[in-house]
Amino acid sequence: MKLAATDFDGTFCPIQQPVPQSNIEAVKTWQAAGHKFGICTGRGLSLIDFELKKYPDLHPDYLVCNNGAVIVNEQKEILTSLTFPREMLQGLLDMPLIHATKNPMRILTETDMYLLDIPTVTEFGLNIPMEKVTFAQAREMPKVVQVSMRCATVEEAQAMTAKIREKYPDIIGNINRNYVDLNLKEANKRDGLRRLLAVTKWQPEDVFFIGDDQNDLPAVEYFRGYTVETAQPFMKEAARAVYPSVGDMLLRNI
């Protein structure tokens, strides 16, 4: 048995386009050969599930969500999760640069997501309704696994992450383009896949990870993974090989 793991946005699903049917057909061929396939994403469970419902022929064997913070099986049952300690979450939300931001922000629990009710003229960029919550409500939420923000630029996302890590070294900023996902530092796609293997006891003969951006880099380096032709140059330099699509990667390694 082999295990394939793909980033969703920009890798399995091209930006602002639907998932190519050729990728879905390749997944079916891969699974029919007895291999496991899953999606490894910065999206929370509710958001990736919202997308997957558009593709009834696609049945991942697992999902690694929230950059590795939440892992579920095929039935969407939570296998393991990394939640913020209450005091750390409250301290993060009380930081002046967070409390005063005009960037749109989301709060994600193990299963749900909420939009922080703050004055902003920028949309988060997701075509899905979200309930709004206040800072006070967010501070008291149980099982929070991620705080996400859409910054104006990649550089702003990097600067925001650096300032937060100065105060909270146990928080990591998983950056994907101009979005930053704040998770516990153990929540990354590399370690999420390692926890998946530990909890399922799967022992694949090889792991095939493919991603296209900065938050995929640790997994690409650790698993000697792959990337797609639309990826940034630094990803192509790190990858074992560059493929036109995820479907091509699956079919060539079946």
Side-chain angles (χ1 to χ4, degrees):
M1 180 267 284
K2 301 175 183 178
L3 185 140
T6 178
D7 168 55
F8 189 76
D9 297 287
T11 305
F12 192 67
C13 181
I15 299 299
Q16 297 182 337
Q17 297 180 44
V19 173
Q21 186 62 32
S22 58
N23 279 352
I24 296 174
E25 294 302 320
V27 169
K28 292 161 67 175
T29 300
W30 176 267
Q31 291 173 316
H35 306 316
K36 301 290 186 184
F37 169 82
I39 292 172
C40 200
T41 178
R43 291 177 180 244
L45 179 58
S46 60
L47 186 55
I48 190 61
D49 193 42
F50 175 81
E51 287 297 323
L52 294 181
K53 285 178 179 177
K54 301 175 183 177
Y55 309 101
D57 290 342
L58 182 62
H59 303 286
D61 297 294
Y62 66 91
L63 299 172
V64 176
C65 306
N66 304 100
N67 300 295
V70 176
I71 300 172
V72 303
N73 60 17
E74 186 177 4
Q75 291 74 37
K76 311 293 173 54
E77 298 167 333
I78 294 176
L79 301 178
T80 181
S81 68
L82 296 171
T83 60
F84 280 104
R86 177 64 59 85
E87 289 185 0
M88 183 183 293
L89 174 66
Q90 293 177 343
L92 171 65
L93 293 176
D94 288 344
M95 288 183 67
L97 81 166
I98 294 290
H99 209 273
T101 186
K102 301 301 181 184
N103 293 325
M105 292 179 59
R106 292 180 301 149
I107 308 295
L108 293 93
T109 66
E110 287 180 332
T111 57
D112 301 301
M113 65 178 178
Y114 305 87
L115 188 66
L116 202 59
D117 190 8
I118 57 177
T120 177
V121 296
T122 306
E123 297 291 334
F124 201 89
L126 301 172
N127 187 25
I128 182 173
M130 286 181 279
E131 179 183 345
K132 289 186 177 181
V133 297
T134 64
F135 269 102
Q137 290 172 316
R139 291 177 86 258
E140 302 304 322
M141 279 187 173
K143 298 183 178 180
V144 171
V145 297
Q146 185 169 303
V147 177
S148 299
M149 180 184 300
R150 182 184 182 186
C151 298
T153 64
V154 174
E155 291 73 21
E156 183 186 4
Q158 292 170 336
M160 180 79 70
T161 297
K163 291 178 181 177
I164 291 169
R165 293 213 71 188
E166 285 180 8
K167 182 165 185 176
Y168 293 105
D170 288 333
I171 295 177
I172 190 171
N174 286 294
I175 299 172
N176 188 0
R177 297 175 179 85
N178 60 321
Y179 291 83
V180 56
D181 299 325
L182 300 171
N183 304 99
L184 293 180
K185 66 181 181 181
E186 297 88 354
N188 60 75
K189 296 182 180 184
R190 174 198 64 205
D191 292 340
L193 284 172
R194 293 171 66 185
R195 283 193 294 276
L196 169 77
L197 296 176
V199 74
T200 60
K201 307 301 182 185
W202 291 340
Q203 295 182 346
E205 58 188 274
D206 206 349
V207 174
F208 295 83
F209 179 86
I210 185 167
D212 77 317
D213 212 336
Q214 187 171 335
N215 63 342
D216 302 308
L217 186 58
V220 166
E221 292 176 334
Y222 182 84
F223 292 107
R224 295 189 64 240
Y226 307 92
T227 193
V228 289
E229 291 177 348
T230 54
Q232 296 292 324
F234 71 88
M235 290 296 294
K236 294 178 180 178
E237 292 174 6
R240 190 193 314 190
V242 180
Y243 287 101
S245 70
V246 174
D248 285 287
M249 186 273 286
L250 294 175
L251 295 178
R252 295 187 196 180
N253 291 284
I254 204 163

